[in-house]
Amino acid sequence: MKQSLNIVKVGGAILEDNDSLKAFTDAFAEIKGAKLLIHGGGRSATRFASRLGIETTMVNGRRITDDAMLEVVTMVYGGDVNRRLVASLQSLSCNAIGLTGADLNLVTSRRRPPVDGIDYGNVGDVVSINSKAFKDLLSIGAVPVIAPLTHDMNGHLLNTNADTMAGEIASGLAEIFDVTLTFCFEKNGVLSDSANDDSVIPLIDRQLFARLREEKVVEGGMIPKLDNAFKAIDRGVRQVKIIHYSRISTPGAGTTIV
Ligand code: ADP
């Protein structure tokens, strides 16, 4: 029987505010057994960039990562956000270790070629996961906290979407672990009415997803998140949940993807 592994992705908005970060780390520290965290941080990157006088350009909801922005995201994701999460988890006796995809060659990627004439810059699409290194870290009781930065084989760091990275890591590790993937954010789950946080849709299959998308009930960042969720299920992840950051261990809460 495969060992259980909980993989959690936490969205950037939660990391902006100390109270929500603490509420999240409290809930994450409660999860029993092997676990791993992947975090975002886009809003912090935008804020830091503006403090440095660097303009943020987004196209189709995605950050253009020129060389100056790569420096910013490396400092913010790999530094500030990652280390604050690690420190908070350590204060709760959760043995976190902060890493990027480059450490131990955990996640390699390839620079994305221009898409429809748009060059996203130093952005990486995941190529491979070092399952053995993840397994070794987990076997010593470490809790990897992974920043959304990867590297290519020419020694370049690349900005990588955290939801995609979580899906890829979960899918890669599903070969050796019984993986549950949880995307947590500031809402209670996937909502049927965006103005009503009690309107959580408990179960979403592909058919329902297609309908919700057509009816524009699901929009923006939720579309790629759900695409990643279904892809992970297809590649052997046992369960994917989308849930509020303080309820990651609450049975029956949030949306389950089937
Ligand atoms: P994060 O990086 O925090 O995970 P994203 O912006 O990638 O967040 O995706 C989550 C966002 O998707 C929510 O903040 C919300 O604005 C949006 N969204 C769109 N449709 C829905 C829906 N039906 N239910 C919940 N959130 C939705």
Side-chain angles (χ1 to χ4, degrees):
M1 215 175 76
K2 289 180 188 168
Q3 187 192 350
S4 296
L5 171 64
N6 267 294
I7 298 184
V8 176
K9 186 264 167 172
V10 60
I14 291 142
L15 314 168
E16 277 287 275
D17 166 85
N18 282 335
D19 292 341
S20 55
L21 185 139
K22 177 73 170 64
F24 165 70
T25 51
D26 280 344
F28 181 80
E30 287 288 308
I31 300 173
K32 305 270 180 288
K35 57 190 170 185
L36 192 157
L37 175 63
I38 294 134
H39 62 81
R43 293 176 210 209
S44 304
T46 300
R47 195 165 40 79
F48 269 91
S50 124
R51 277 164 66 182
L52 293 169
I54 296 166
E55 205 182 309
T56 296
T57 311
M58 308 287 284
V59 178
N60 301 330
R62 301 244 156 159
R63 180 178 304 270
I64 304 284
T65 310
D66 61 10
D67 290 350
M69 189 53 76
L70 181 65
E71 285 186 295
V72 172
V73 298
T74 302
M75 290 187 284
V76 173
Y77 302 164
D80 180 68
V81 174
N82 189 275
R83 307 300 141 164
R84 281 192 292 119
L85 276 166
V86 169
S88 179
L89 288 169
Q90 286 291 349
S91 78
L92 299 163
S93 303
C94 173
N95 203 11
I97 175 171
L99 298 162
T100 71
D103 295 284
L104 298 174
N105 201 27
L106 286 172
V107 185
T108 56
S109 67
R110 190 181 295 127
R111 195 181 204 270
R112 181 178 305 160
V115 184
D116 299 332
I118 299 157
D119 185 358
Y120 286 91
N122 300 297
V123 167
D125 290 319
V126 174
V127 172
S128 69
I129 302 297
N130 186 351
S131 303
K132 162 98 174 50
F134 276 111
K135 194 173 172 217
D136 289 348
L137 283 168
L138 294 165
S139 75
I140 59 163
V143 177
V145 176
I146 317 277
L149 298 165
T150 54
H151 67 136
D152 68 13
M153 280 301 129
N154 299 314
H156 297 127
L157 278 170
L158 294 164
N159 183 14
T160 300
N161 179 272
D163 281 356
T164 310
M165 208 159 150
E168 292 285 340
I169 292 172
S171 302
L173 294 181
E175 284 176 21
I176 46 175
F177 290 96
D178 178 14
V179 177
T180 298
L181 172 61
T182 304
F183 291 101
C184 66
F185 68 146
E186 67 279 15
K187 309 230 158 133
N188 282 339
V190 182
L191 307 175
S192 58
D193 169 6
S194 60
N196 178 3
D197 222 7
D198 293 325
S199 67
V200 175
I201 306 169
L203 220 61
I204 300 183
D205 61 13
R206 277 185 193 276
Q207 221 180 343
L208 180 56
F209 176 38
R211 209 178 75 214
L212 294 171
R213 202 173 162 158
E214 215 175 87
E215 292 169 353
K216 299 206 172 359
V217 171
V218 160
E219 299 177 299
M222 190 50 74
I223 294 176
K225 202 185 291 298
L226 284 168
D227 277 331
N228 275 313
F230 284 110
K231 219 162 128 189
I233 293 282
D234 286 347
R235 290 164 70 193
V237 171
R238 185 169 56 83
Q239 191 184 62
V240 181
K241 297 208 78 167
I242 298 179
I243 199 165
H244 190 268
Y245 62 89
S246 68
R247 305 218 178 91
I248 43 184
S249 300
T250 309
T255 300
T256 302
I257 308 304
V258 290

